[in-house]
């Protein structure tokens, strides 16, 4: 802190040792010199008016920016205390404190606050735009769901009618056409194939609509063993037909937070795929295990079927991906499984080797 005393002519009569560091001079050499000559014209102009008021008898407390010389500017907090004797002001005491660091810090804070205001305005604008986009996307998704449902529903009846007409036409032609005429049966087969492909498309649309609806199903605590047993009973005919062995290892009290309908779909898809894509040269053996491994419930479905190459594994969860064409399917099942699992924060992975078998591992939040 600078401590000094100025007389009425504004000459230093006293100054402390702190003046040495600010003005690079011996403090004693400053005594008797005008303050203007010591601090410089610009700094003097910044405080001259306050000096007038101090010499008029007013006690002052103020802050100012003092450009003492080139490259040396200070922000100061100053007290002027008049020296009054016999009713006359004969000078005043000066107390000057360096507040440069505080002022610069406040300026930086103010600048940052201004930047934050701008950023907040930009964020608010971006949030508004994002909200508008999300609302539009929601409306689009609703419209898409409605379209898929309506299209799959409205197209089903006409296709069924066409299929019925084809069957009737086939019976009529078979009764009247010459046995040597091979063209008519060929055309009928082509028409029947077109109808069946159309039916597959409708089934795909129905599956997608079902997936969209599944996303909104509420979760609840589900008994895993009960769901697995229900699926096993549903698949009993397929298991018998394939002479497949299903080995289940699930604790009776194991529960998971999931939509019951979705959990059934997940288990059904994995088990039915294991049966469908069995290896023709050996008895199918499918193992399903579910257990709690904190912080998750882990499902493992393992088979000894056809297996998958590395390339096929990369395509496995894509929409409408069919990697084996010798059995019926829409290419939607595993896509739906992955979506349902990920919708609740879970994961699904696959490990497989061609001609050896495949293992699916699902982790669901406990």
């Amino acid at each position: 802190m600078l401590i000094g005393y100025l007389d009425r002519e504004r000459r230093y009569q006293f100054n402390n040792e702190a003046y040495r560091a600010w003005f690079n001079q011996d403090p004693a050499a400053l005594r008797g010199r005008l303050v203007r000559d010591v601090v410089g014209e610009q700094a003097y102009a910044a405080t001259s008016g306050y000096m007038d008021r101090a010499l008029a008898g007013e006690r002052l407390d103020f802050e100012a920016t003092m450009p003492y010389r080139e490259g040396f500017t200070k922000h100061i907090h100053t007290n002027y205390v008049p020296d009054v004797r016999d009713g006359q002001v004969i000078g005043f005491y000066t107390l000057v404190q360096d507040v440069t660091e505080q002022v610069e810090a406040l300026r930086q804070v103010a600048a940052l606050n201004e930047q934050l205001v701008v950023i907040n305005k930009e964020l608010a604008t971006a949030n508004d735009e994002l909200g508008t986009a999300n609302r539009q996307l929601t409306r689009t998704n609703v419209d898409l769901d409605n379209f898929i449902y309506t299209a799959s529903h409205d197209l089903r009846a006409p296709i069924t009618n066409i299929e019925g007409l084809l069957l009737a036409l086939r019976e009529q032609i078979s009764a009247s056409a010459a046995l040597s005429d091979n063209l008519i049966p060929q055309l009928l087969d082509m028409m029947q194939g077109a109808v069946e492909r159309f039916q597959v498309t409708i089934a795909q649309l129905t599956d997608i609509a079902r997936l969209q609806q599944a996303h909104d199903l509420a979760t609840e605590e589900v008994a895993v063993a009960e769901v697995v047993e229900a699926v096993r009973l549903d698949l009993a005919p397929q298991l018998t037909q394939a002479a497949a062995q299903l080995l289940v290892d699930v604790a009776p009290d194991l529960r998971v937070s999931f939509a019951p309908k979705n959990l059934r779909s997940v288990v059904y898809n994995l088990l039915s795929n294991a049966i469908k894509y069995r290896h023709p040269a050996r008895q199918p053996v499918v193992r399903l295990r579910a257990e709690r491994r904190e912080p998750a419930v882990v499902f493992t479905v393992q088979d000894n079927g056809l297996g998958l190459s590395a390339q096929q594994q990369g395509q496995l969860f894509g929409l409408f991906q069919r990697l084996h064409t010798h059995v019926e399917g829409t290419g939607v099942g595993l896509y739906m499984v992955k979506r349902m699992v990920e919708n609740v924060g879970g994961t699904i992975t696959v490990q497989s080797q061609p001609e050896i078998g495949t293992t699916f591992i699902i982790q669901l939040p406990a």
Side-chain angles (χ1 to χ4, degrees):
M1 175 180 288
L2 302 183
I3 301 174
Y5 181 88
L6 296 173
D7 61 18
R8 288 197 63 85
E9 295 180 357
R10 306 185 188 189
R11 295 179 184 273
Y12 281 107
Q13 298 302 321
F14 172 80
N15 41 24
N16 67 348
E17 183 64 23
Y19 275 78
R20 184 188 301 275
W22 282 38
F23 300 104
N24 299 320
Q25 297 184 54
D26 184 349
L30 300 179
R31 293 166 192 162
R33 294 182 59 186
L34 292 170
V35 64
R36 172 183 294 182
D37 296 336
V38 174
V39 303
E41 286 294 337
Q42 288 183 300
Y44 177 74
T47 55
S48 177
Y50 294 110
M51 293 181 187
D52 292 340
R53 292 163 62 183
L55 290 172
E58 183 179 353
R59 183 167 182 160
L60 298 169
D61 183 352
F62 65 91
E63 291 187 359
T65 299
M66 303 289 283
Y68 289 111
R69 57 185 178 274
E70 185 176 355
F72 187 76
T73 298
K74 292 283 189 180
H75 302 288
I76 61 171
H77 180 91
T78 303
N79 296 97
Y80 285 170
V81 181
D83 181 15
V84 182
R85 301 181 188 181
D86 300 326
Q88 298 292 321
V89 178
I90 63 173
F92 60 93
Y93 298 94
T94 69
L95 304 174
V96 179
Q97 182 180 1
D98 183 6
V99 294
T100 302
E101 291 184 359
Q102 295 93 313
V103 171
E104 292 296 335
L106 288 174
R107 287 181 177 175
Q108 291 179 8
V109 170
L112 289 174
N113 284 335
E114 291 178 0
Q115 293 178 16
L116 285 175
V117 169
V118 173
I119 292 172
N120 285 335
K121 288 181 179 179
E122 293 175 349
L123 285 175
T125 301
N127 283 336
D128 289 342
E129 293 174 351
L130 183 59
T132 300
N134 282 337
R135 287 189 293 271
Q136 180 62 41
L137 182 59
T138 299
R139 288 193 295 268
T140 301
N141 283 338
V142 171
D143 292 342
L144 180 59
D145 291 347
N146 291 336
F147 168 76
I148 292 173
Y149 175 80
T150 302
S152 62
H153 180 271
D154 291 352
L155 290 173
R156 192 181 301 276
I159 291 301
T160 301
N161 291 338
I162 293 173
E163 186 178 27
L165 292 172
L166 278 173
L167 290 174
L169 183 59
R170 184 188 295 274
E171 292 174 359
Q172 183 67 27
I173 291 176
S174 297
S176 60
L179 294 176
S180 60
D181 189 356
N182 295 322
L183 179 59
I184 293 176
Q186 183 180 354
L187 291 175
L188 288 174
D189 288 340
M190 293 173 63
M191 294 171 68
Q192 183 67 37
V195 169
E196 290 173 356
R197 288 192 295 274
F198 207 166
Q199 288 174 328
V200 169
T201 300
I202 293 174
Q204 291 172 338
L205 290 173
T206 303
D207 286 340
I208 295 172
R210 188 180 301 116
L211 176 60
Q212 298 296 334
Q213 295 167 359
H215 180 70
D216 299 326
L217 293 178
T219 61
E220 59 183 80
E221 290 295 312
V222 183
V224 176
E226 293 179 8
V227 172
V228 172
E229 177 60 17
V231 172
R232 187 191 68 79
L233 292 174
D234 288 343
L235 291 174
Q238 292 94 312
L239 289 166
T240 300
Q241 181 183 9
Q245 186 178 11
L246 174 60
L247 305 176
V248 176
D249 182 8
V250 180
D253 60 345
L254 181 63
R255 306 182 78 84
V256 67
S257 180
F258 211 81
K261 185 176 179 181
N262 287 356
L263 184 60
R264 184 196 178 283
S265 294
V266 169
V267 175
Y268 186 92
N269 269 283
L270 294 180
L271 292 182
S272 62
N273 280 351
I275 299 169
K276 281 196 297 186
Y277 302 114
R278 59 188 179 273
H279 198 288
R282 53 179 172 259
Q283 181 192 18
V285 178
V286 183
R287 292 178 171 85
L288 185 151
R289 179 182 177 86
E291 58 185 328
R292 184 178 297 275
R293 297 183 203 164
E294 294 296 347
V297 172
V298 180
F299 290 75
T300 305
V301 178
Q302 182 182 32
D303 66 53
N304 63 343
L306 295 172
L308 299 163
S309 67
Q311 181 180 356
Q312 288 174 319
Q313 292 176 51
Q315 302 170 338
L316 188 60
F317 297 105
L319 186 59
F320 302 136
Q321 291 291 335
R322 297 196 60 215
L323 306 181
H324 299 290
T325 58
H326 66 284
V327 294
E328 293 183 358
T330 62
V332 176
L334 287 178
Y335 172 81
M336 292 178 62
V337 167
K338 188 172 189 291
R339 283 283 301 274
M340 288 186 285
V341 168
E342 292 180 346
N343 282 345
V344 297
T347 62
I348 179 170
T349 57
V350 61
Q351 301 169 0
S352 187
Q353 288 183 274
E355 302 298 317
I356 301 297
T358 301
T359 300
F360 288 93
I361 301 173
I362 293 176
Q363 296 192 51
L364 299 176

